[in-house]
Amino acid sequence: MSGPLTLCCLLAALSLTLTAGYLTVSIEPLPPVVIGDTVTLKCNFQTDGSLREIVWFRVSTQVTEGGSAKQKIFTYDAMYNTSYSHMEDQRRREDLVYQSTVRLPEVQMEDDGLYECHVGIYERSSTDRVILASGSISLTVIVPPKSISVVAANSPAPFSRYEAQNFTLVCIVTGAKPAPMVYFKRDGELIDVVPTAQFSSPVDDQSKGPGLENSWDKAQSGLWSSRALTSRDLDDTKLHKSLSTLEQQGKPARLGQDGPEQDGEQAESDPEPTTEVIPETVVSREFPRWVQSSDPLYYFQHQQQATGDGTMEVRAMLTWSLNPQLDNEALFSCEVNHPALSMPMQAEVTLAAPRGPKLSMSPSKARVGDTVRILVQGFQLGPSASEVFPEPIFTWTKVGGPLLDGREEHDGRELVLERVPAELNGSMFRCTAQNPLGSTDTHTRLIVFDNPRLKKGKEHFIAIDAAVTHCSLSFTSMLLLRSFTCQLT
């Protein structure tokens, strides 16, 4: 009895299987897609039944109470032989018998996510029952970096030529997804770095500048202190001997003159000397000199932080003990590798000490009472440098005394002298520009000419005073004469 019964069961199961039919669904895999490209999602299915419907869903990343939200993006209904796209931009599709495709033109960040293809077929024996199957694929949209820049940490910063300093370059890469790989090169050669612990921190406020966290600098100071330099240059001579001698005598240091009295006499005898319209300039350069004990160690640190638009901001930091003799005019580059880039993205800077400052004075021919502005317009740069990097600090002083406003020094690229008096004629002003690679001093002399308008005004006031005095004397004489006449009467 068991034999016939078993055979009957097998035949019934086989009949049920043939009646139910089969359905397999799969979606072709896709590599990461660069933002802006066109993507076609392909859903392949095999069945021996009759097609009922095909529905495409985009699974939202936002989680609701019932789970992940699904957005219907495409529907095909075999009963009505109609198709309808739920995509906002009416994205079209190609419909084949065993394949359903959805085309996504110019994908954006919001297109990133999970997609599902749901297929339904009728059972072979009945159109009342539907068999369902689905497949899914994760679409990854990648974004190339938007910008890359190299800055100096804590810049501008004071410069000390008596000791070696730790210097940090910061490479800032924004707008990438996923985070790119960042590395540094020196003069085109990859730098062998010592990595430090990676960590993520909130993106720094741009208003605070691109400097690093002070706490991080302090924490790493012990690590780099072993690279400190042993020999130092203690030569404190900055000025030419002639200028130093004049300062020791308590006189304003001026070129081509023996003292302040001669300038005053010359200005009175020749109010507009054509040979002194252009201020004379003296430039002396201070270049630090010390010996590095060995080749510097480059320490590398990497930070990354997600931004509000879903991309990443990456900050890579390269720190070493600066050697001005070796590092001056050295070319450092930051390069970025990213799967959305066909070739590395690069930003580069050339370390350069300030030298040969170019000064401008306005007005070029200052008169008594004018407001004079002395401005650093730029520097003489070498063949490889396009700017002085890192940004220098500018300090203005007056040789032999305080500035016009009484201060000993003024910080900034520009020095403003309000309503210059005649006493400033021949005064020498010093501008010191310094960065961690060196410093330079520039001396310029101010020539102040007489102001005819002020002289005319003085003469007008003297004439008025004389007229008033004369009238007063006449009035007094009349009163005395009248009093004498009354007494005689």
Side-chain angles (χ1 to χ4, degrees):
M1 296 296 294
S2 61
L5 180 59
T6 303
L7 180 59
C8 291
C9 292
L10 290 175
L11 291 175
L14 179 60
S15 176
L16 181 62
T17 303
L18 293 176
T19 302
Y22 73 93
L23 174 63
T24 60
V25 179
S26 65
I27 300 181
E28 295 184 7
L30 282 175
V33 180
V34 180
I35 187 172
D37 288 353
T38 298
V39 179
T40 300
L41 304 179
K42 297 180 180 181
C43 178
N44 301 317
F45 57 93
Q46 295 180 356
T47 181
D48 60 352
S50 300
L51 180 63
R52 172 62 182 89
E53 66 176 356
I54 303 173
V55 183
W56 282 87
F57 293 95
R58 177 193 290 132
V59 181
S60 175
T61 56
Q62 297 180 355
V63 179
T64 60
E65 295 180 357
S68 299
K70 291 185 179 181
Q71 177 188 3
K72 186 183 295 185
I73 62 174
F74 179 82
T75 301
Y76 172 78
D77 193 330
M79 178 179 295
Y80 301 99
N81 195 24
T82 59
S83 61
Y84 178 75
S85 176
H86 300 274
M87 304 297 290
E88 294 179 358
D89 55 355
Q90 298 296 322
R91 294 168 176 169
R92 301 181 58 186
R93 60 176 282 277
E94 298 176 1
D95 187 19
L96 301 177
V97 176
Y98 296 106
Q99 185 180 76
S100 174
T101 62
V102 172
R103 182 171 176 266
L104 308 178
E106 299 182 359
V107 294
Q108 301 300 316
M109 286 285 292
E110 55 268 20
D111 294 324
D112 187 285
L114 184 66
Y115 289 80
E116 295 180 353
C117 173
H118 293 249
V119 180
I121 64 168
Y122 291 114
E123 288 187 353
R124 296 181 61 182
S125 61
S126 172
T127 58
D128 296 333
R129 298 184 61 184
V130 177
I131 300 176
L132 299 176
S134 64
S136 63
I137 185 176
S138 181
L139 178 63
T140 302
V141 180
I142 60 177
V143 183
K146 293 181 181 178
S147 66
I148 177 175
S149 60
V150 180
V151 298
N154 303 323
S155 178
F159 162 70
S160 174
R161 62 194 179 89
Y162 295 114
E163 60 181 352
Q165 292 182 318
N166 295 323
F167 184 70
T168 300
L169 286 177
V170 184
C171 180
I172 305 174
V173 184
T174 62
K177 176 182 176 291
M181 183 180 70
V182 184
Y183 52 92
F184 285 91
K185 288 184 177 181
R186 173 173 175 150
D187 297 326
E189 299 292 334
L190 185 64
I191 297 177
D192 186 14
V193 298
V194 178
T196 59
Q198 297 186 6
F199 65 94
S200 297
S201 62
V203 178
D204 294 336
D205 187 355
Q206 297 299 328
S207 63
K208 297 180 181 179
L212 296 178
E213 299 290 342
N214 292 332
S215 59
W216 182 77
D217 288 335
K218 294 178 181 179
Q220 297 297 331
S221 60
L223 185 61
W224 304 314
S225 61
S226 60
R227 314 303 301 170
L229 308 172
T230 55
S231 61
R232 301 171 181 175
D233 173 27
L234 300 180
D235 183 12
D236 198 25
T237 304
K238 284 189 175 182
L239 305 179
H240 292 296
K241 184 176 180 180
S242 58
L243 295 179
S244 302
T245 304
L246 288 175
E247 288 188 25
Q248 292 174 1
Q249 295 174 352
K251 301 178 181 180
R254 293 167 290 166
L255 296 181
Q257 301 293 336
D258 294 331
E261 295 81 12
Q262 291 188 4
D263 273 339
E265 295 173 0
Q266 185 176 357
E268 293 177 1
S269 61
D270 188 4
E272 296 185 0
T274 57
T275 58
E276 293 185 348
V277 173
I278 301 176
E280 299 184 31
T281 301
V282 177
V283 177
S284 62
R285 186 182 181 193
E286 180 66 26
F287 198 77
R289 295 182 295 274
W290 50 68
V291 179
Q292 190 81 306
S293 59
S294 62
D295 293 336
L297 293 179
Y298 293 94
Y299 294 90
F300 181 80
Q301 188 178 29
H302 182 272
Q303 299 179 11
Q304 65 184 44
Q305 177 68 34
T307 59
D309 59 358
T311 60
M312 303 293 294
E313 178 181 281
V314 175
R315 295 195 175 207
M317 289 151 281
L318 183 72
T319 302
W320 74 100
S321 183
L322 192 68
N323 188 334
Q325 277 62 49
L326 299 178
D327 294 328
N328 189 52
E329 297 188 358
L331 175 64
F332 284 84
S333 61
C334 169
E335 296 192 5
V336 172
N337 278 337
H338 192 272
L341 297 174
S342 58
M343 60 185 300
M345 194 174 181
Q346 176 180 289
E348 58 184 26
V349 293
T350 299
L351 304 187
R355 65 177 182 179
K358 301 176 182 178
L359 300 182
S360 66
M361 184 179 296
S362 176
S364 58
K365 185 177 180 180
R367 300 181 182 276
V368 176
D370 289 347
T371 296
V372 178
R373 300 176 182 273
I374 309 176
L375 175 67
V376 181
Q377 287 187 325
F379 297 89
Q380 297 177 5
L381 301 173
S384 59
S386 59
E387 62 177 348
V388 174
F389 183 88
E391 181 183 357
I393 291 178
F394 300 94
T395 305
W396 295 86
T397 56
K398 179 176 176 293
V399 178
L403 296 173
L404 185 58
D405 57 4
R407 292 182 298 170
E408 293 296 328
E409 61 182 33
H410 169 74
D411 296 329
R413 184 181 287 266
E414 183 182 44
L415 176 65
V416 180
L417 304 174
E418 299 281 354
R419 296 185 295 275
V420 294
E423 291 75 12
L424 278 186
N425 181 43
S427 298
M428 185 76 75
F429 293 89
R430 176 194 296 126
C431 176
T432 301
Q434 57 179 349
N435 72 357
L437 291 159
S439 64
T440 182
D441 283 342
T442 304
H443 296 76
T444 185
R445 184 172 57 161
L446 175 64
I447 303 299
V448 183
F449 298 95
D450 290 335
N451 195 333
R453 291 179 299 177
L454 295 180
K455 284 187 175 182
K456 184 177 180 180
K458 290 181 179 180
E459 293 174 356
H460 179 66
F461 286 127
I462 292 174
I464 292 177
D465 291 342
V468 171
T469 303
H470 178 71
C471 293
S472 176
L473 292 175
S474 300
F475 183 70
T476 304
S477 301
M478 291 175 61
L479 291 178
L480 292 175
L481 180 60
R482 184 175 178 179
S483 175
F484 181 72
T485 304
C486 293
Q487 289 179 2
L488 290 178
T489 304

